[in-house]
Amino acid sequence: MSNSNMTRRGMLKTGAVAGAGVALPTIFTASSAAAYTNEPTGSTVTLGFNVPQTGPYADEGADELLAQKLAVEHLNGEGDGGCLNTFSSKALKGNGILGKKVEFVTGDTQTKSDAARASAKSMIEKDGAVMINGGSSSGVAVAVQGLCQEAGVIFMAGLTHANDTTGKDKKANGFRHFFNAYMSGAALAPVLAAEMGKDRRAYHLTADYNWGWTQEESIVASTEAMGWETVNTVRTPLAATDFSSYIAPVLNSGADVLVLNHYGGNMVNSLTNAIQFDLLAKVANGKDFKIVVPLYSELMATGAGENIKGVLGSMNWNWQLTDDGTKAFVKSFGEKYGKPPSNSAQTCYAQTLLYADACERAGTFNPCGVVEALEGFEFDGLGNGPTLYRAEDHQCFKDVLVVRGNMNPTSPYDTLEIVEKTPVEQVTYAPDHPMFAGGALGSCNPGA
Amino acid sequence: MDAILLQILNGLDKGSAYALIALGLTLIFGTLGVVNFAHGALFMIGAFCAVTLSKILTISKEVVDPTKTDFLGNPLKVKVPYIESWFGESFGGAIIDWSVPLAILFAIPIMLFVGYAMERGLIKHFYKRPHADQILVTFGLAIVLQEVVKYFYGANPIPTPAPEAFKGSFDFGAMLGFEANAIIYPYWRMVYFLFAGVIIAGVFAFLQFTTFGMVVRAGMADRETVGLLGINIDRRFTIMFGLAAAVAGLAGVMYTPINSPNYHMGMDFLVLSFVVVVVGGMGSLPGAVAAGFLLGILEAFASMNWIKDIIPGIDQIIIYLVAIVILLTRPRGLMGRKGVMED
């Protein structure tokens, strides 16, 4: 009598497991032949552009993608060369990167961390991307940065403003060109003091998530340091669309300034609601009531329409700057697409060129070589003036713009006017500043 | 006291939007028995009727202004709306300024047609299917509609301001003897509340005082018997679907100055409006209206700072908490009819 329990299905399963076991060492052997993840072996190199193509920030993502495509053109020697002509580093020759033609793939972050990670993962694993760039949310940036660190590719962040991206969540493989919430506070505070006085009482409405909290913390700290008092800080749900019930009590609170720590649709709606309540026409504590929007974007300014007139805020860059880098980029972008670029487009363009330049200077696509080339790198000619990529946290340090809603715009594009270019010294902080404490950069991961 | 009055006022305009959407949802459910998850999309389409009319009225010719330059340094092309060059700057400008109220006239035929086409083209095929199927197909339709709108209008909110005459706010506090600025309320929100009141009264009057409305009410009570009397109740119900779509659309048109419309504004209201319908009582028109205002005001109260200090996050869940309490104590909802959704 046979006691064998082996069935046909069991045999198949065993065979499959055994087959996978036999194949596994081959997979490792194959990948370990490369020195680092996705080492380009042919005549091309692939970059991954991970931007919101659907969802609420789709227009912002579309603008980023236009700039990224323009950067690829310039890197490959097509078009007018844009900022390659003004960039202080002359390593890029318009013949691709390290002689390899630049190709790109795109992913859709949907402004959701899990979707952004999935699209970045797909571009790294299926398309062989050596670098991921783009995005318009700090949540997405932190999530994708973590993924790139694990996968062994470089992450050149797009629009991400939370302190944490280069604070507690910083990673060796991640780099941020965009400014952050601390810098917004440091740049805005002196202008606010000069325009509104040092005896002001501020009421904060803050989007209830990581970015909102860090921005509120930064603006409260910088305004209180110059003498302002914070009357109240109220958290508003990210999903809120009507802010009237949060704005209505402001005038009765003893405050004379409303700070809107909101971005995107939240900002458009809260500012629109504040204007409906006629706050800017009111007098509180014997002073004209004021509104501040610490983080501006051109696309949001367009959404808010006339409501932004006279309202102060800060930006990473604006097309109205007059330096050579800005002029070259605006001309190139404007002639190709018929409109000036947004500051999220500019940061993605600059990041793509900075990555390519770092590869050229390092002589390799190896992430560790790129990290070394970018750390402590000082450059100019990309539109933000002299800039440092600080080695300690991979944050760019450069001038910050304080802007105001234009009272008399002449076109849909000059809805904001530059009030001041705050010098970099004023927005620089120590790497161990409490707002950036926690987490460690770690060491670069080449993957493979 | 002033803070309470302030939040009651704040709740009224949002409650008005909830009430108008819930009214349409209840009309459709009561007549056709369809759970229409695309109703929020109808609200959104109404809002984009206002955006579209505003864009049509501002179609412009380009005039070169040699004294100014554009962002590339070329002579600036200034856009002058045709309507201003035809009717003069003041009258043409006034027409553009009043584009949102004018959009009511623009939206009514469009929304009636959209409602009619939606009912005849898709929803009528799902009358005899389970509610789950109806929810799936109408939810899918809502997603399709919002993606179509996003394709043509982009993802960003589009500012659609109220006429200049209605900008600013009214100081209720000063009128009631409180301090200045204690209770302020924007003029347009008052207009919205009054508009909602007129629409709601109009729908009730239509159902109550016209023969058509009487037949519809009879059909809502007993569709089969009305059919046996030789009345084509289906055709009347199709018209009611169009009417419900128009109500949602007009609610959307007038809401545009309150919040700049974007493609997913319908979804923002949809779930809450369903809660309103359930709380009011499935199939009850007065219930939907009462629950709309009740929940709008409760939501405003829950966002008061001292309440949020006691229960953090209450502003995000208050409507659902109230719905749970009401459904536990009164499963039919506030004014629900016996037998509706109870089998």
Side-chain angles (χ1 to χ4, degrees):
Chain A
M1 182 176 143
S2 168
N3 281 332
S4 170
N5 289 326
M6 181 60 82
T7 61
R8 186 178 62 88
R9 191 161 291 175
M11 179 78 98
L12 282 172
K13 279 184 188 168
T14 313
V17 172
V22 170
L24 209 54
T26 327
I27 297 169
F28 282 129
T29 315
S31 61
S32 64
Y36 51 89
T37 299
N38 294 335
E39 180 179 2
T41 51
S43 59
T44 61
V45 58
T46 304
L47 308 182
F49 297 139
N50 206 22
V51 302
Q53 296 180 41
T54 56
Y57 296 155
D59 287 359
E60 196 134 14
D63 219 41
E64 290 185 0
L65 202 49
L66 293 178
Q68 289 158 329
K69 287 176 179 171
L70 190 68
V72 169
E73 271 187 24
H74 293 165
L75 289 173
N76 286 333
E78 297 156 14
D80 63 6
C83 287
L84 259 57
N85 304 312
T86 56
F87 194 11
S88 57
S89 170
K90 298 298 172 196
L92 294 167
K93 302 281 185 262
N95 61 345
I97 308 175
L98 295 171
K100 293 182 189 296
K101 184 169 191 245
V102 182
E103 294 184 341
F104 67 90
V105 288
T106 67
D108 181 7
T109 67
Q110 301 172 34
T111 313
K112 293 175 186 163
S113 299
D114 52 348
R117 275 178 71 96
S119 58
K121 196 166 188 288
S122 168
M123 288 191 286
I124 294 166
E125 292 180 355
K126 291 188 185 154
D127 304 312
V130 290
M131 180 276 272
I132 301 294
N133 165 237
S136 64
S137 138
S138 292
V140 162
V142 167
V144 176
Q145 183 163 262
L147 175 91
C148 290
Q149 179 71 32
E150 291 159 21
V153 301
I154 293 290
F155 176 59
M156 302 297 280
L159 190 155
T160 160
H161 187 247
N163 292 338
D164 292 350
T165 310
T166 46
K168 75 176 177 57
D169 295 315
K170 58 184 171 281
K171 294 279 182 283
N173 284 33
F175 290 84
R176 170 160 67 178
H177 172 265
F178 208 72
F179 72 147
N180 58 40
Y182 174 91
M183 293 174 172
S184 281
L188 268 173
V191 178
L192 296 179
E195 295 224 352
M196 302 176 194
K198 293 187 174 179
D199 178 26
R200 282 278 184 171
R201 292 161 60 82
Y203 191 106
H204 288 248
L205 290 185
T206 303
D208 198 4
Y209 71 109
N210 183 278
W211 168 76
W213 306 330
T214 67
Q215 170 148 308
E216 179 193 285
E217 183 188 21
S218 301
I219 304 294
V220 165
S222 53
T223 51
E224 286 186 353
M226 67 183 187
W228 283 24
E229 187 186 334
T230 305
V231 174
N232 206 346
T233 55
V234 175
R235 303 282 162 89
T236 59
L238 187 57
T241 52
D242 184 4
F243 291 85
S244 57
S245 48
Y246 300 100
I247 285 169
V250 172
L251 267 181
N252 216 10
S253 68
D256 45 43
V257 178
L258 173 64
V259 181
L260 296 173
N261 297 305
H262 289 148
Y263 188 69
N266 274 183
M267 186 281 261
V268 171
N269 288 331
S270 63
L271 183 58
T272 302
N273 291 166
I275 300 299
Q276 280 165 9
F277 276 82
D278 226 5
L279 292 191
L280 285 178
K282 303 289 180 193
V283 173
N285 306 326
K287 306 177 187 83
D288 288 341
F289 198 95
K290 298 285 184 187
I291 300 174
V292 179
V293 177
L295 176 61
Y296 257 140
S297 106
E298 300 85 344
L299 297 168
M300 302 311 150
T302 306
E306 296 213 332
N307 299 327
I308 62 158
K309 283 185 174 180
V311 176
L312 282 166
S314 67
M315 286 183 89
N316 187 55
W317 174 86
N318 186 281
W319 67 269
Q320 295 169 89
L321 285 166
T322 52
D323 60 285
D324 290 343
T326 296
K327 281 183 189 164
F329 177 50
V330 172
K331 178 172 177 291
S332 205
F333 190 99
E335 285 179 349
K336 189 169 174 65
Y337 303 121
K339 61 175 183 177
S342 63
N343 79 155
S344 51
Q346 188 264 348
T347 202
C348 287
Y349 178 84
Q351 285 280 69
T352 306
L353 293 197
L354 283 165
Y355 170 79
D357 175 75
C359 293
E360 288 282 354
R361 287 185 292 110
T364 177
F365 291 100
N366 187 324
C368 290
V370 175
V371 168
E372 203 181 328
L374 280 172
E375 283 184 342
F377 179 49
E378 292 181 44
F379 60 93
D380 197 355
L382 293 184
N384 300 91
T387 305
L388 164 71
Y389 238 132
R390 188 159 74 178
E392 288 86 346
D393 52 8
H394 295 184
Q395 169 69 53
C396 266
F397 285 83
K398 53 194 169 7
D399 299 345
V400 169
L401 300 183
V402 176
V403 295
R404 186 195 340 255
N406 196 341
M407 298 302 284
N408 298 302
T410 55
S411 75
Y413 307 123
D414 61 351
T415 46
L416 298 168
E417 60 179 354
I418 298 169
V419 176
E420 188 183 282
K421 202 156 88 168
T422 306
V424 60
E425 299 77 29
Q426 204 174 304
V427 299
T428 301
Y429 52 87
D432 59 351
H433 188 284
M435 285 185 202
F436 297 82
L441 200 58
S443 53
C444 74
N445 176 21
Chain B
M1 183 63 192
D2 50 346
I4 291 170
L5 282 174
L6 189 61
Q7 294 304 352
I8 289 175
L9 283 173
N10 274 324
L12 287 180
D13 52 76
K14 201 154 194 193
S16 302
Y18 290 153
L20 286 174
I21 300 175
L23 184 66
L25 275 171
T26 306
L27 273 178
I28 292 172
F29 181 77
T31 51
L32 302 166
V34 171
V35 182
N36 181 23
F37 261 61
H39 209 67
L42 294 170
F43 175 76
M44 180 266 296
I45 291 174
F48 275 87
C49 283
V51 172
T52 306
L53 182 68
S54 169
K55 283 192 184 290
I56 291 171
L57 293 177
T58 50
I59 291 175
S60 306
K61 61 179 176 184
E62 287 186 341
V63 179
V64 175
D65 182 350
T67 61
K68 292 177 182 154
T69 54
D70 69 4
F71 70 98
L72 288 173
N74 303 319
L76 184 69
K77 289 174 183 162
V78 181
K79 291 189 170 176
V80 180
Y82 282 108
I83 211 153
E84 280 188 12
S85 52
W86 293 338
F87 297 108
E89 203 168 321
S90 60
F91 186 62
I95 293 174
I96 294 170
D97 186 37
W98 281 76
S99 68
V100 170
L102 287 173
I104 293 173
L105 302 174
F106 181 69
I108 289 173
I110 292 176
M111 293 311 301
L112 285 172
F113 174 75
V114 168
Y116 181 81
M118 192 189 278
E119 197 272 339
R120 287 290 93 185
L122 183 70
I123 290 174
K124 75 166 185 178
H125 304 294
F126 286 81
Y127 286 157
K128 293 190 169 60
R129 302 275 283 271
H131 286 311
D133 287 10
Q134 296 170 354
I135 289 171
L136 282 174
V137 75
T138 51
F139 193 69
L141 178 65
I143 292 171
V144 169
L145 289 173
Q146 72 173 31
E147 288 304 312
V148 168
V149 166
K150 193 175 83 177
Y151 176 79
F152 287 106
Y153 293 91
N156 281 330
I158 301 168
T160 316
E164 201 64 39
F166 294 105
K167 283 187 179 162
S169 56
F170 181 70
D171 196 339
F172 267 108
M175 196 178 80
L176 298 173
F178 292 100
E179 279 180 31
N181 295 335
I183 308 173
I184 52 168
Y185 195 59
Y187 289 121
W188 187 258
R189 288 177 185 253
M190 277 197 279
V191 170
Y192 193 78
F193 173 60
L194 294 173
F195 175 79
V198 169
I199 295 284
I200 291 165
V203 169
F204 276 91
F206 178 70
L207 289 174
Q208 202 66 36
F209 302 122
T210 64
T211 312
F212 186 100
M214 188 181 69
V215 172
V216 168
R217 281 188 293 124
M220 285 168 80
D222 191 343
R223 180 181 191 144
E224 204 171 327
T225 306
V226 174
L228 286 172
L229 291 172
I231 295 167
N232 185 354
I233 193 70
D234 285 352
R235 198 173 67 84
R236 285 175 167 77
F237 282 178
T238 302
I239 294 169
M240 288 313 291
F241 194 103
L243 182 69
V247 169
L250 293 183
V253 167
M254 295 294 276
Y255 200 74
T256 52
I258 293 177
N259 274 338
S260 299
N262 61 19
Y263 71 100
H264 62 91
M265 67 186 294
M267 286 293 179
D268 297 338
F269 276 91
L270 178 72
V271 177
L272 290 172
S273 300
F274 261 99
V275 176
V276 168
V277 170
V278 171
V279 168
M282 292 294 283
S284 165
L285 296 173
V289 173
F293 284 109
L294 176 72
L295 293 184
I297 291 168
L298 279 176
E299 201 180 17
F301 273 119
S303 52
M304 288 170 78
N305 294 336
W306 66 271
I307 293 180
K308 282 176 69 181
D309 288 343
I310 299 169
I311 315 170
I314 185 69
D315 48 340
Q316 299 184 57
I317 56 169
I318 181 73
I319 283 191
Y320 305 102
L321 280 181
V322 171
I324 290 169
V325 171
I326 286 184
L327 290 179
L328 280 176
T329 55
R330 196 178 161 78
R332 233 175 258 159
L334 288 175
M335 301 184 192
R337 285 185 296 132
K338 192 177 178 184
V340 177
M341 289 287 272
E342 285 186 337
D343 47 348

